[in-house]
């Protein structure tokens, strides 16, 4: 059975339709990449999958692990194993990183009917993942993302992903704002989490990230629909040709 | 307007105090009371036409016929739950009277002297006499005048020169409510001698439902280089009226922190009035007020810089839900000689409902020319972005809201440096915030829908 099955998904924000019939199937263990020009609906798709209610789903369905994802609240989707690495991670002054992470882990465990994780079990795991992402433990005593650099915020997203062990990880433009060293660290963190039990949807504007996280499938989203699909070679092709072929859409729409 | 019908009960109470005092109190104290009464009876209670009371109507207070509380016995069931564990000592006052049986004043750390104020005034060597009533302004402040006329007891705390007392002194003021509305006027005097250090927690609690009126005055005298932290905890029931006045007098280099935590009470007015009366004095005015239902929480800060090189910091955070109302009035007065003053004021508010309301008003009066004064206020709601971020990590909406409320409150908690006082206060704040988050959840329509989703068999 596939892990994620998106069928003819349509979504709008403030009456403006952004996703215009997206079809996508992801099987367990697969890494898919969605590329596309700005404004094509990549981030909207990510947010709908994470169940953000600012987007109104106007048609279609999403089956996740055989369940109706569109009926889930954000926390239910998270507890069912959906994880979104944010394009713009949110700063939350007053809540410590470590405390936040442990609360999240325990909320998910509680949902699954498992025992809470105590500090004794949490700390070694936490330290191991901090090391993987080359993050300073001192940073973790600070508030969530507060005063973090752009790179630190993105690494923190992957750290959370490593701690929460999702079934479906959605990476929304995780490469934006990263220098090459930070990009390598993030990619290493992501690759360490690849496995037969985990699927990934890597959203990016540039091919660069896909040199380090090599996807099984690449899809190009244009104007709210998947225009092309292929293997990793499609990403390289796009690097050379750009999205020019996809962009005159507005011109075509003009009366001749 | 002198003794109108509304003031009749207070007049009777004053007569009772007079009759009792003439026999037992020294002349100077008797005169002080008379002065207080003369001022109060001449001016009566302030009204909303008074600029300092613009946002707070005292009508519900003035129309309630409060009487002096009758003596309560020393047996309060469950009082242990109110204790601050790890305190140096505990003085309990039931309906304004010292309850030695409920207090714990043995084994005091060296340099700490505590007693009831009545006991302290009986002891000529104690030093209470030279300070009591010296700092509050009876003519300008009706509630301080009323307290001065009617106080029956309170705490006296003296920290000897150079003594550093790390454990907090817990002052527990308990109103036993339930019968006819009662009033108490607790009076506290804190004298921190040069280079001494102490933490005082003033804690107002009601035992039972029903209205009571606490009108407390605390004079805190910090001598040169003394370091004092004062905590005010208001956790009375929601029918209560609480007016508290903290008057701080700071000498050269004295460092005083005032932390106000207003969680309970129906109509609350929190007056904090430090006077930096020596060069290089520093003061931190930190507060958190959390209101729901029809609570009205009014914070009136008056920070007076009367000497050069002083610094003051005011930080107040408010969380208001349902029809609660909050007021933050932050007045900074820099006197002519107080050059190089550095004064800062910030008031941040979180409104959780459309009916909640905050009035925030900075007021700067600067008569010196070389000073740094800033102020700022914000009013906001729980934002969507952080809420979604937390939920996307698995926290349910209620927990996520609760965590965000806590984070907002934590800004104030982080300025409270003394343990175990901080933990004590944190626990009370968390409890109150959970109540608020739970009430929020019940009121929100989306959650009702969610409940229906979660248990379809109930619906069927």
């Amino acid at each position: 059975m596939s892990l994620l099955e998106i069928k003819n998904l349509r979504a709008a924000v403030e009456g403006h339709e952004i996703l215009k019939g997206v079809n996508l199937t992801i099987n367990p263990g697969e890494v898919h990449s969605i590329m596309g020009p700005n404004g094509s609906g990549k981030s909207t798709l990510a947010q709908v999958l994470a169940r953000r209610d600012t987007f109104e789903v106007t048609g279609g369905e999403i089956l996740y692990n055989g369940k109706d994802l569109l009926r889930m609240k954000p926390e239910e989707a998270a507890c069912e194993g959906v994880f979104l690495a944010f394009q713009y991670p949110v700063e939350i002054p007053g809540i410590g990183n470590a405390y936040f992470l442990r609360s999240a882990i325990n909320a998910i465990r509680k949902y699954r009917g498992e025992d809470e994780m105590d500090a004794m079990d949490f700390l070694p795991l936490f330290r191991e993942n901090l090391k993987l992402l080359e993050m300073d433990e001192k940073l973790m005593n600070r508030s969530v993302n507060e005063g973090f650099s752009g790179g630190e915020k993105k690494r923190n997203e992957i750290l959370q992903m490593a701690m929460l062990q999702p079934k479906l990880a959605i990476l929304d433009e995780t490469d934006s704002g990263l220098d090459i060293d930070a990009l390598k660290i993030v990619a290493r963190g992501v690759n360490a989490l690849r496995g037969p039990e985990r699927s990934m949807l890597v959203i990016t504007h540039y091919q660069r990230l896909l040199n380090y996280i090599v996807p099984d499938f690449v899809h190009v989203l244009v104007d709210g629909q998947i225009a092309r699909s292929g293997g990793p070679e499609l990403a390289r092709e796009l690097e050379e040709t750009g999205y020019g072929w996809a962009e005159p859409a507005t011109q075509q729409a003009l009366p001749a | 307007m002198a003794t109108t019908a509304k003031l009749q009960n207070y007049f009777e109470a004053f007569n009772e105090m007079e009759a009792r005092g003439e026999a037992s109190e020294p002349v100077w104290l008797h005169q002080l009371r008379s002065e207080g009464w003369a001022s109060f009876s001449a001016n009566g209670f302030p009204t909303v036409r008074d600029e300092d009371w613009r946002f707070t109507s005292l009508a519900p207070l003035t129309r309630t016929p409060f009487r002096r509380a009758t003596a309560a016995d020393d047996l309060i069931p469950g009082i242990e739950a109110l204790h601050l564990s790890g305190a140096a000592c505990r003085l309990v006052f039931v309906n304004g009277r010292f309850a030695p049986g409920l207090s714990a004043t043995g084994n005091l750390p060296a340099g700490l002297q505590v007693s009831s104020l009545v006991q302290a005034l009986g002891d000529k060597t104690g030093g209470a006499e030279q300070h009591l009533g010296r700092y509050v302004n009876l003519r300008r402040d009706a509630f301080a005048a009323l307290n001065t006329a009617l106080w029956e007891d309170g705490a006296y705390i003296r920290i000897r020169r150079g003594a550093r007392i790390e454990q907090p002194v817990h002052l527990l003021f308990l109103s036993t409510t339930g019968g006819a509305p009662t009033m108490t006027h607790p009076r506290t005097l804190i004298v921190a001698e040069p280079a001494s250090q102490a933490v005082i927690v003033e804690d107002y609690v009601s035992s039972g439902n029903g209205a009571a009126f606490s009108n407390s005055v605390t004079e805190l005298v910090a001598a040169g280089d003394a370091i004092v932290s004062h905590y005010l905890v208001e956790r009375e029931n929601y029918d209560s009226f609480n007016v508290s006045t903290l008057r701080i007098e700071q000498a050269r280099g004295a460092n005083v922190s005032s932390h106000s935590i207003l969680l309970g009470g129906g109509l609350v007015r929190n007056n904090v009035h430090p006077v930096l009366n020596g060069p290089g004095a520093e003061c931190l005015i930190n507060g958190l007020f959390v209101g729901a239902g029809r609570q009205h929480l009014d914070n009136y800060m008056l920070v007076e810089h009367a000497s050069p090189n002083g610094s003051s910091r005011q930080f107040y955070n408010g969380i208001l839900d349902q029809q609660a109302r909050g007021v933050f009035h932050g007045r900074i007065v820099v006197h002519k000689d107080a050059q190089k003053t550095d004064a800062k004021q910030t008031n941040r508010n979180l409104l959780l409902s459309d009916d909640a309301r905050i009035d925030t008003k900075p007021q700067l009066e600067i008569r010196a020319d070389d000073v740094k004064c800033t102020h700022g206020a914000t009013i906001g709601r729980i934002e969507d972005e952080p809420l979604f971020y937390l939920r996307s990590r698995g926290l349910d909406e209620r927990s996520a809201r609760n965590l965000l409320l806590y984070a907002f409150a934590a800004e104030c908690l982080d300025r409270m440096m003394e343990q175990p006082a901080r933990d004590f206060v944190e626990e009370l704040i968390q409890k109150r915030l959970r109540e608020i988050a739970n009430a929020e959840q019940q009121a929100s329509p989306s959650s009702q829908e969610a409940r229906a989703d979660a248990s379809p068999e109930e619906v069927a």
Side-chain angles (χ1 to χ4, degrees), chain A residues 50-52 71 73-75 78-79 83-84 86 90 92-95 99-100 103-104 107-108 145 157 160 164, chain B residues 384-386 388-397 403-404 406-408 410-411 414 430 441 446-447 450 453:
Chain A
R51 305 304 307 120
R52 179 136 206 201
R71 281 180 64 86
K73 294 192 268 185
E75 58 268 33
C79 292
F83 179 91
L84 170 65
F86 280 54
V90 184
I92 309 184
I95 302 177
Y99 177 83
F100 165 53
S103 306
I108 293 172
N145 292 324
E157 293 294 288
Q160 290 174 20
L164 299 179
Chain B
D384 223 31
E385 287 270 336
F388 176 65
Y389 191 68
L390 296 178
R391 293 178 72 189
S392 80
R393 299 299 183 249
L395 299 172
D396 63 44
E397 189 176 356
L403 202 53
L404 291 172
Y406 172 76
F408 186 74
E411 293 176 9
D414 287 348
Q430 287 204 351
Q441 183 77 351
S446 69
S447 67
D453 277 350

Side-chain angles (χ1 to χ4, degrees), chain A residues 187-209:
Chain A
R188 194 176 61 215
V190 173
N191 286 329
L193 292 165
R194 284 178 84 151
E197 294 302 312
R198 194 170 350 269
S199 307
M200 294 187 186
L201 185 60
V202 181
I203 291 170
T204 180
H205 185 84
Y206 302 104
Q207 187 261 348
R208 190 177 69 146
L209 176 69

Side-chain angles (χ1 to χ4, degrees), chain B residues 368-442:
Chain B
D369 48 25
D370 183 14
V371 301
K372 210 159 76 185
C373 279
T374 61
H375 65 87
T378 62
I379 301 171
R381 298 177 175 279
I382 287 190
E383 287 174 57
D384 223 31
E385 287 270 336
L387 192 62
F388 176 65
Y389 191 68
L390 296 178
R391 293 178 72 189
S392 80
R393 299 299 183 249
L395 299 172
D396 63 44
E397 189 176 356
R398 185 169 61 185
S399 310
R401 278 182 177 277
N402 188 250
L403 202 53
L404 291 172
L405 289 184
Y406 172 76
F408 186 74
E411 293 176 9
C412 297
L413 273 169
D414 287 348
R415 295 185 199 102
M416 303 175 189
M417 301 303 177
E418 299 85 10
Q419 294 290 18
R422 184 196 185 281
D423 280 354
F424 173 73
V425 166
E426 179 171 355
E427 201 173 307
L428 296 174
I429 292 171
Q430 287 204 351
K431 183 167 159 260
R432 184 74 183 117
L433 293 181
R434 274 198 300 274
E435 284 168 13
I436 299 247
N438 288 347
E440 276 269 294
Q441 183 77 351
Q442 274 158 21

Side-chain angles (χ1 to χ4, degrees), chain B residues 67-78:
Chain B
R67 298 195 173 277
R68 280 177 59 218
T70 50
D73 59 43
D74 265 9
L75 260 174
I76 307 288

Side-chain angles (χ1 to χ4, degrees), chain B residues 117 270 286 336 359 372 387:
Chain B
L117 187 58
N270 166 36
N286 179 39
K336 200 163 166 251
D359 289 286
K372 210 159 76 185
L387 192 62

Side-chain angles (χ1 to χ4, degrees), chain B residues 111 158-165 191-198 221-228 255:
Chain B
R158 177 184 182 192
I159 309 103
R160 302 258 182 192
R161 176 185 287 267
R164 300 161 78 91
I165 315 297
V191 179
E193 293 184 355
S196 66
Q197 193 171 338
V221 190
D225 297 320
I227 302 173
V228 184
N255 184 323

Side-chain angles (χ1 to χ4, degrees), chain B residues 57-132:
Chain B
S57 165
L58 290 169
L61 184 138
T62 54
R63 68 167 171 253
T64 309
F66 295 105
R67 298 195 173 277
R68 280 177 59 218
T70 50
D73 59 43
D74 265 9
L75 260 174
I76 307 288
I79 193 171
E80 299 77 19
L82 302 173
H83 290 175
L84 192 178
S85 63
C89 61
R90 178 176 63 250
L91 279 79
V92 180
F93 298 85
V94 178
N95 296 330
R97 285 159 209 158
F98 183 49
L102 299 175
S103 303
T105 55
N107 288 326
L108 291 177
L112 176 64
Q113 181 187 339
V114 297
S115 68
S116 86
L117 187 58
V118 169
Q119 287 169 347
L121 291 174
D123 169 13
K124 294 277 182 293
T125 62
E129 185 181 330
Q130 70 177 99
H131 292 292
L132 188 74

